């Protein structure tokens, strides 16, 4: 957290930048108000990098367009219905929005768009006091009608108006509370937390796309665990992601197993650590984080209490993959993300068979083939799934996975395993067997692929011999 003096100096430098000063002077010359608002002002106090430049004004969308056209390299009005005009000015993208005073009617999934006339009123309708900050331009005057600076300094999330009113205006703000908890490391103020729990059901009027988008932003944050915990504690998760609170399985005095919910949160934490150390990414890997969060959601449905105090979860990987894909589809995630997460959940247990006995080269090839382009993510998820406090067991599993990865690397170097194909292609199969394109060609191709996985590269002559033998036996 920067001092107020340092933050104001940083905001002064931002106001003097070519993009901001050009905008500010143009709006002032046209006789309209303009203020930098929300995230950029907040982040100046948190010493965080500012990526978005958002402005608010008393000008209407048509008036905004008239002002920015002469000074912009490009402009777009895709958000005009909601009062927002986008532009690129001095190489930077900006968004300028007319003062807003809109709200939900409690029945539909879209807000009633109402333009306001006052900066203070606009700020008081925003989600949290730490985002209800503005810098008037070109005067460079800080506006803070709800004491957001105090909440910033104290690390508190609070709504500018009564939380019942704020969440009633836009129930998605409850999801944002969880996201900002994870993103900023702040604590939710008690009255806001109480209102969030009481009004959790109103999230149902928000579209699945917007809920899914907020969940994605939460998971991409620095500490998604805190946000997930808030969603569960408030009851929101029971509505938007019910598979997670369902992991808090009851444990009786006769049957014992690890706390699946806490295990899942630990796996999420550990996956983020491996993601950062292994992938060298500049952006968080949403697929890895979703897979970590959802990898055990098949356990409640497969839980069985066995004799001797044993609890089993047979096939929870397969069941969990189906549940994960169903939930992500409901939240309108894209098809590639859904497929990748589903594959990772389904395969997350595969490695543990490696610790029970040495795998053949064939088994290693199948592991790589089944993982496909998700192999590196599967490495991360599998390692993160080891949460035992038994150091000897943890080391044994870690060494075993080191060995598996080494074998994968050695085989890949020998065989180009990332693109394993049969030794004969479809055209060659048809020529050898005298076939036309048909189901039999596909069966022959799969047979040769299995031979390739079992025994490695065969060469054309040996592959032909095996193919002809298989075909003769099949016909007989």
């Amino acid at each position: 957290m920067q001092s107020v003096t340092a933050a104001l100096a940083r905001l002064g430098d931002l106001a003097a930048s070519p993009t901001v000063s050009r905008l500010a002077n143009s709006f002032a010359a046209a006789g309209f108000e303009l203020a930098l608002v929300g995230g950029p002002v907040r982040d100046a106090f948190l010493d965080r990098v500012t990526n978005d430049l958002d402005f608010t004004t008393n000008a209407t969308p048509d008036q905004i367009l008239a002002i920015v056209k002469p000074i912009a390299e490009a402009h777009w009005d895709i958000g005009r219905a909601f009062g927002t005009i986008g532009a690129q000015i001095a190489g930077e993208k900006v968004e300028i929005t007319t003062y807003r005073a809109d709200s939900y009617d409690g029945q539909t999934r879209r807000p009633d768009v109402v333009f306001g006339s006052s900066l203070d009123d606009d700020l008081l309708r925003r989600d949290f006091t730490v985002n209800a900050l503005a810098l008037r331009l070109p005067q460079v005057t800080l506006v803070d009608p709800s004491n957001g600076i105090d909440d910033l300094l104290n690390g508190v999330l609070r709504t500018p108006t009564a939380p019942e009113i704020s969440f009633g205006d836009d129930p998605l703000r409850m999801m944002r509370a969880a996201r900002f908890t994870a993103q900023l490391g702040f604590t939710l103020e008690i009255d806001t937390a109480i209102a969030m729990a009481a009004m959790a059901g109103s999230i149902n009027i928000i579209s699945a796309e917007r809920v899914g988008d907020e969940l994605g932003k939460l998971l991409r944050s620095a500490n998604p665990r805190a946000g997930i915990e808030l969603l569960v504690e408030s009851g929101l998760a029971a509505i938007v992601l019910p598979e997670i609170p369902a992991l808090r399985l009851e444990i009786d005095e006769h049957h014992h197993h690890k706390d699946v919910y806490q295990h899942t949160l630990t796996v999420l934490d550990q996956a983020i650590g491996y993601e950062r150390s292994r992938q060298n990414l500049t952006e968080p890997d949403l697929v890895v984080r979703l897979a970590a969060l959802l990898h055990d959601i098949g356990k409640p449905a497969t839980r069985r209490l066995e004799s001797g105090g044993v609890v089993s979860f047979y096939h929870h990987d397969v069941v969990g993959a189906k549940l994960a894909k169903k939930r992500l589809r409901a939240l309108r995630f894209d098809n590639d993300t859904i497929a990748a997460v589903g594959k990772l959940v389904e395969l997350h247990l595969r490695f543990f068979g490696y610790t029970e006995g040495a795998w053949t080269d064939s088994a290693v090839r199948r592991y790589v083939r089944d993982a496909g382009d998700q192999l590196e993510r599967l490495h991360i998820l599998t390692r993160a799934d080891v949460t035992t406090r038994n150091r000897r067991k943890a080391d044994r599993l870690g060494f075993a996975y080191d060995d598996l990865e080494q074998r994968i690397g050695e085989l890949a170097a020998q065989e180009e395993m990332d693109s394993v194909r049969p030794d004969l292609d479809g055209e060659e199969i048809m020529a050898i067997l005298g076939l036309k394109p048909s189901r039999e060609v596909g069966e022959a191709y799969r047979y040769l692929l299995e031979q390739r996985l079992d025994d490695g590269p065969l060469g054309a002559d040996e592959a032909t011999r095996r193919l002809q033998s298989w075909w003769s036996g099949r016909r007989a």
Side-chain angles (χ1 to χ4, degrees):
M1 175 74 70
Q2 291 203 120
S3 69
V4 174
T5 301
L8 291 175
R10 184 177 176 184
L11 286 170
D13 292 340
L14 183 59
S17 69
T19 300
V20 178
S21 61
R22 189 177 300 177
L23 260 179
N25 292 333
S26 296
F27 273 81
F32 292 105
E33 299 176 3
L34 185 72
L36 185 67
V37 68
V41 184
R42 177 199 68 211
D43 290 342
F45 287 87
L46 297 177
D47 198 19
R48 292 164 55 96
V49 176
T50 296
N51 296 315
D52 300 317
L53 290 177
D54 295 323
F55 299 85
T56 188
T57 177
N58 60 340
T60 66
D62 288 342
Q63 291 166 333
I64 295 172
L65 266 177
I67 295 170
V68 302
K69 278 183 178 180
I71 62 171
E73 297 99 59
H75 60 83
W76 48 94
D77 61 356
I78 191 170
R80 176 184 281 195
F82 298 96
T84 300
I85 300 297
Q88 180 169 306
I89 299 172
E92 290 190 88
K93 291 183 178 179
V94 302
E95 287 192 347
I96 308 109
T97 302
T98 306
Y99 294 154
R100 294 275 291 271
D102 46 289
S103 65
Y104 282 80
D105 61 11
Q107 302 297 321
T108 62
R109 293 172 182 261
R110 292 184 177 275
D112 296 322
V113 178
V114 179
F115 296 142
S117 58
S118 157
L119 175 59
D120 279 13
D121 288 346
D122 177 272
L123 295 176
L124 289 172
R125 300 304 296 269
R126 292 181 179 259
D127 51 8
F128 300 101
T129 60
V130 297
N131 295 326
L133 302 170
L135 190 71
R136 283 192 184 275
L137 300 168
Q139 305 94 320
V140 192
T141 302
L142 185 65
V143 181
D144 178 16
S146 57
N147 298 316
I149 299 299
D150 290 342
D151 287 338
L152 270 177
L153 296 174
N154 293 319
V156 172
L157 276 181
R158 180 197 319 269
T159 54
T161 57
E164 294 82 5
I165 295 175
S166 182
F167 294 155
D169 284 347
D170 185 353
L172 191 66
R173 289 172 177 173
M174 296 184 289
M175 292 288 296
R176 290 198 197 113
R179 193 234 300 180
F180 288 127
T181 297
Q183 184 175 306
L184 304 177
F186 285 9
T187 302
L188 196 61
E189 181 265 337
I190 184 63
D191 288 339
T192 306
I194 291 171
M196 186 170 165
M199 302 179 67
S202 64
I203 196 68
N204 283 317
I205 72 170
I206 302 298
S207 69
E209 291 87 348
R210 296 184 70 203
V211 171
D213 183 58
E214 274 299 324
L215 178 62
K217 291 177 181 178
L218 188 163
L219 286 172
R220 291 186 184 97
S221 67
N223 180 28
R225 178 183 188 138
I228 296 298
E229 288 176 329
L230 180 55
L231 288 179
V232 171
E233 292 163 5
S234 66
L236 270 171
I239 300 169
V240 303
L241 199 61
E243 295 81 5
I244 301 307
L247 295 175
R248 296 183 295 183
L249 303 176
E250 293 182 4
I251 302 176
D252 62 35
E253 59 180 316
H254 303 295
H255 296 82
H256 300 281
H257 58 80
K258 70 173 67 176
D259 185 324
V260 183
Y261 172 63
Q262 290 299 325
H263 163 75
T264 294
L265 295 178
T266 301
V267 172
L268 178 59
D269 287 340
Q270 295 186 164
I272 292 171
Y274 283 120
E275 166 199 311
R276 291 168 177 163
S277 64
R278 292 180 61 103
Q279 292 186 303
N280 193 30
L281 299 177
T282 56
E283 296 292 332
D285 191 331
L286 180 60
V287 169
V288 164
R289 298 179 183 205
L290 280 168
L293 181 65
L294 302 176
H295 78 285
D296 271 350
I297 61 172
K299 281 190 170 180
T302 58
R303 180 172 179 252
R304 298 291 181 270
L305 305 181
E306 314 285 358
S307 60
V310 176
V311 180
S312 68
F313 303 97
Y314 294 125
H315 306 303
H316 78 267
D317 46 347
V318 177
V319 173
K322 293 178 181 177
L323 292 174
K325 288 188 283 189
K326 181 179 180 181
R327 177 55 53 194
L328 294 179
R329 279 194 293 268
L331 291 172
R332 305 294 192 270
F333 280 85
D334 64 273
N335 290 334
D336 289 344
T337 296
I338 294 170
V341 173
K343 178 181 285 189
L344 291 171
V345 173
E346 184 170 355
L347 295 177
H348 83 274
L349 288 182
R350 183 76 63 87
F351 157 72
F352 292 96
Y354 191 83
T355 63
E356 298 168 2
W359 279 3
T360 63
D361 285 351
S362 172
V364 175
R365 292 187 192 101
R366 281 181 167 79
Y367 187 78
V368 174
R369 179 196 64 179
D370 292 347
D373 59 1
Q374 300 305 314
L375 181 62
E376 179 59 26
R377 286 168 167 158
L378 184 58
H379 290 334
I380 292 172
L381 179 60
T382 302
R383 288 184 179 276
D385 199 22
V386 178
T387 61
T388 178
R389 296 181 181 178
N390 184 321
R391 177 47 52 192
R392 181 176 297 179
K393 181 179 180 182
D395 288 344
R396 177 172 60 83
L397 291 170
F399 294 147
Y401 208 87
D402 289 343
D403 182 66
L404 175 59
E405 284 203 69
Q406 181 178 347
R407 289 184 63 192
I408 289 172
E410 291 169 351
L411 284 172
Q414 296 168 14
E415 305 176 11
E416 297 183 357
M417 266 179 22
D418 288 343
S419 56
V420 170
R421 298 287 186 274
D423 296 84
L424 302 173
D425 62 23
E427 294 291 337
E428 292 168 321
I429 290 171
M430 288 189 287
I432 292 168
L433 300 182
L435 296 174
K436 294 181 179 180
S438 61
R439 177 173 55 83
E440 285 84 359
V441 177
E443 292 176 359
Y445 186 92
R446 288 189 289 274
Y447 166 75
L448 287 178
L449 178 59
E450 291 299 317
Q451 296 293 300
R452 170 75 170 76
L453 290 168
D454 283 338
D455 299 327
L458 303 174
D461 291 343
E462 176 62 15
T464 299
R465 186 190 69 77
R466 294 192 187 189
L467 176 64
Q468 290 171 331
S469 176
W470 169 82
W471 182 245
S472 296
R474 183 180 182 281
R475 296 184 70 183

